[in-house]
Amino acid sequence: MVQIRPVAFLLALLAVAVHAADPVVVAFRAERVDAPDWRVADIDATIELHEGGQRGRVRIGRVELPGAELEFSDTVIDCAEILLSRTWLRCHDATLTLDFPVAGRQTVTGRFDYEREPGILHFALQQLALAGGRVALEGRTGDFGTELEWSGAGLAIAELVAIANSLDLGPGELAAGGSADARGSLRTDSTGQLALSLDASLAEASVANDAGTVVAEAVTGTLRLNAEQAGEAWQFDLSLAADRGEAYVEPVYANLAEHPLAIELGRARTADFARYEFGRFALTQGDQAELAGTARIHLPPGEEPLRVEAARIEISDTAVETLYTNLLQIAFAGTVLGDLETAGRVSGEVTIENDAPMSADLELDGVILDDRRRRFAIYGLGGSLHWPGPAGAPGDAPPSRLAWDSGNAQGILLGGASAALALGGDDLVLLESLRVPTMGGALLVNRLEIHDYGRDDARGLLDAELEPVQLGQLTGAFGWPAFSGSLSGRLPLLTYEGNAMTVGGRLTARAFDGDIELANLRIAQPFGRVPRLSGDLTFRSLDLERVTNTFSFGLIQGRLSGEVAGLEAENWRPVAMDARLYSTPGDRTPRRISQRAVENLASVGGGGAGAVLSTGFLKFFEVFAYEEIGLRCVLANGVCRMSGAGPAGEGALGRGYYIVKGRGIPRIDVIGYRERVGWNALLQQLSAITRDSTPVVN
Amino acid sequence: MNKLAVAFITVVAVFIAACVTINVYFPEAAATEAADRIIDKVRGEEAGNGGDTGASLARPDADRVPVMLALAHGVTSFLVSDANAQGAINFDRPSPEKTALENSLAERFPQLKPYYDSGAIGLTDAGLIDIRDRGLIPLAERNRVVQLVAAQNNDWNALYAEIARLNGKPEWQDDIRRTFAERWIAKADRGWWYREGGTWKQK
């Protein structure tokens, strides 16, 4: 075994040989050479000395670099020209055959310079085959560590990921594809800490984790990375700009060709490639989104989604639709906000902790929220929104001021208005009275409070007045014929408690020259799947001529009163009630009924009047006088139990009841016989009557 | 005489034990059919099209009732069997919420169907659905499927709660859920995936 300082020995040997006139071949063989930072064994060197200089070939059985945990076997170095002085040795025009770490065994060209003091090896290699492409690298290594710069073209990203993983530098198993042209550097210091930089242009780059929750597909763009080890952790800055391909980080999807993406991560840090801290991040996606801020995220391996542990996000001029379809819609799935068409812009600041928003200060501009199930919509919504977080109380944040151009609720059109609100965690308090124009009048809201919204014990109250609105527009919203008349009233205290809305006062309407009053109005689960309405409706002395004109029922003159007691509606369709219509007692106006109205009434009551009226002498009379009209429906379980203005004796179909009790000559009575009528069939009948001019007679 | 007494008691005991089994079995079969009707509605199929409907499904714990325990409680169970039958879960009890939920589930089902067929999503033994393989969903559709699955599961959970509420037994949600999970899997198309005990299997 030989223990010598190898370079000194070589220099001495070559120094002797350099003066020889004829080519001299010096062969050198060493079993083992040890230096502080490296060890080599089985050295077989041949150096040929000639007039022009020296050239040589060294074959080394094994090279060990314990500091870098590297070991090479069967390394061959051919130097076409060896230059040396007292302080350096240069091997230019070298050919090197080596088991390259990562790249495998191959023969490449390059050059080496060795500076004796302080013992630095400079090296450069060309045409190193790596990851399906070619790489050139240049660097130096010594006591201070290693510095390396490299550049490569046509590198396969899948293989680069495998290399990064084999060096413990990657985020683990990823399916990858595409290629990159890249340049970069690598530096280790004397303690072995690593620093990297990378500047790559990506072509059709694809990366996907196993679960398919983080995916980039066919992305073309540029990637810049500067990273350095700090103890156990990595610190890095990263920027990515891409204008082709698709990206998906569940649940956010981006089509980069439609909206180019730029991401900057600054002062980023990770110790385990699962938890990341970003001292600064910025994300711009075309004109769709511009976000920036700080964040701490957890990207667990497997199927678990990305978690935002903490974040402060500044939003600048971002499309509401992008935020809604990518983030909010999933959060709102199954609620009244779960299926909206959206538009408009938003900016502001949001903080997040453990995936839950902790505060929001937003500016809205031209926002549209339109329920696809047509329950509500708001257009041209703008203003500022300040939400103090889930634990905040109203007043903890500055007042929110919102204004909108128009809207609708259950088909009722609403005009533009502006509102000042104080928002709490799940509270809302109206700060100034609010006037919403609607149906030719307005809803004047004096007081509105909602507390613990979204919880079982949610409660609220509304103190509002209805400035006279056109009944026609209200009934039109429900698909009914347009009533003439107006509706006004005071909603002195509409309270919301136990998931139900109750109106404290009475709503009164002046319509058809009579009075309509709605009392005991209560709506259970107004925002639920099946809103339930209950109340009592009374009308007094309606002018039947106007009513029948409106509903094209056939002319009836006289006055009508009635009650709908115990009205219950589910999904705005009556399921129970006791409805009574009758001629207003004491009314002295003429009571007349037309042939068509008789036929229609008869068909509702289950009789068949058409044949009687259109034949015989009655066909010469257009109108008939009557004494009384009456109709009652007690609705329960989908069946209407019908009765009228008193019993009318037995008929072929059973016991009858007067619907119209005639008077004078010719006297005509409309008598109903059907006592139990299917409610849906009755509704179809009525709508057929009011739609067609030809009556339907069963 | 002694032998005769033992034989008699055994016969009675076996008879009583048999009664227990029947009492547990019967409402479950009815529930199964009722669950099938709801599933058919959601799948947009007419009732009875399923082919393998019927009362073949035993309550999962029916065969696990220890015989001795059944014997010990035989008489009591026999006496209260009527009460049990009356108190069994009635899946057909109507409510507007239930109808609304069934309609909403049925509305969303055609949008989910291609993903059942491709194996991207599957049924779970919790009576819900889950994404099995995102790789089978084009990238641009992936967040929509995530959203559809979340919305569908919201509705299923609400439906189980509503059926339990209609029966006045909120604590029966898990039984209802289990019945639906079993029936969904039993009625799944060939090639659909379902997850049992954390493992995905293909029908």
Side-chain angles (χ1 to χ4, degrees), chain A residues 645-663:
Chain A
E650 293 285 329
L653 289 164
R655 260 209 335 225
Y657 49 86
Y658 285 110
I659 298 174
V660 179
K661 196 185 264 183
R663 185 165 60 96

Side-chain angles (χ1 to χ4, degrees), chain A residues 150-286:
Chain A
W150 60 275
S151 65
L155 307 176
I157 291 169
E159 292 182 48
L160 290 178
V161 168
I163 290 168
N165 279 336
S166 73
L167 297 175
D168 253 356
L169 297 175
E173 287 305 308
L174 287 173
S179 66
D181 294 344
R183 59 175 56 252
S185 67
L186 183 149
R187 206 176 64 238
T188 61
D189 64 13
S190 54
T191 62
Q193 298 270 292
L194 206 56
L196 313 162
S197 78
L198 173 72
D199 189 343
S201 64
L202 310 172
E204 301 277 312
S206 296
V207 181
N209 68 351
D210 233 11
T213 51
V214 180
V215 183
E217 227 165 69
V219 170
T220 297
T222 57
L223 174 72
R224 283 198 184 83
L225 172 71
N226 284 299
E228 61 181 53
Q229 257 180 325
E232 291 294 296
W234 282 89
Q235 282 179 339
F236 62 96
D237 295 300
L238 180 147
S239 74
L240 171 75
D243 57 6
R244 268 167 56 194
E246 297 170 283
Y248 180 71
V249 178
E250 190 153 296
V252 179
Y253 168 79
N255 183 325
L256 310 181
E258 282 174 16
H259 307 291
L261 179 73
I263 296 175
E264 303 265 351
L265 303 175
R267 304 195 306 277
R269 190 182 162 83
T270 183
D272 53 6
F273 293 103
R275 286 197 161 72
Y276 294 85
E277 199 175 318
F278 305 128
R280 174 85 193 154
F281 77 86
L283 181 152
T284 310
Q285 199 203 340

Side-chain angles (χ1 to χ4, degrees), chain A residues 42-75:
Chain A
D42 299 331
I43 305 164
D44 194 347
T46 312
I47 294 168
E48 196 179 295
L49 311 172
H50 56 90
E51 273 196 57
Q54 304 84 37
R55 64 167 178 261
R57 178 187 177 90
V58 183
R59 173 170 224 119
I60 307 169
R62 200 167 78 249
V63 179
E64 291 173 33
L65 301 169
E69 291 179 8
L70 288 174
E71 204 178 302
F72 306 102
S73 55
D74 198 15
T75 303

Side-chain angles (χ1 to χ4, degrees), chain A residues 541-629:
Chain A
S541 197
L542 304 188
D543 181 353
L544 262 172
E545 187 168 347
R546 296 191 199 190
V547 175
T548 50
N549 270 340
T550 304
F551 287 100
S552 48
F553 191 83
L555 178 76
I556 307 177
Q557 290 173 321
R559 293 275 167 174
L560 185 76
S561 295
E563 293 98 37
V564 181
L567 172 66
E568 283 178 30
E570 286 170 353
N571 250 346
W572 318 113
R573 291 165 198 278
V575 292
M577 62 178 174
D578 180 355
R580 277 182 67 210
L581 311 177
Y582 48 87
S583 294
T584 306
D587 164 46
R588 298 272 169 239
T589 59
R591 295 182 176 185
R592 292 199 192 90
I593 184 164
S594 70
Q595 268 213 25
R596 202 182 133 220
V598 169
E599 287 171 17
N600 287 337
L601 276 176
S603 71
V604 174
V612 182
L613 291 175
S614 56
T615 57
F617 83 102
L618 283 179
K619 71 182 173 192
F620 302 109
F621 293 88
E622 272 295 308
V623 288
F624 308 95
Y626 70 88
E627 188 185 322
E628 207 179 344
I629 283 182

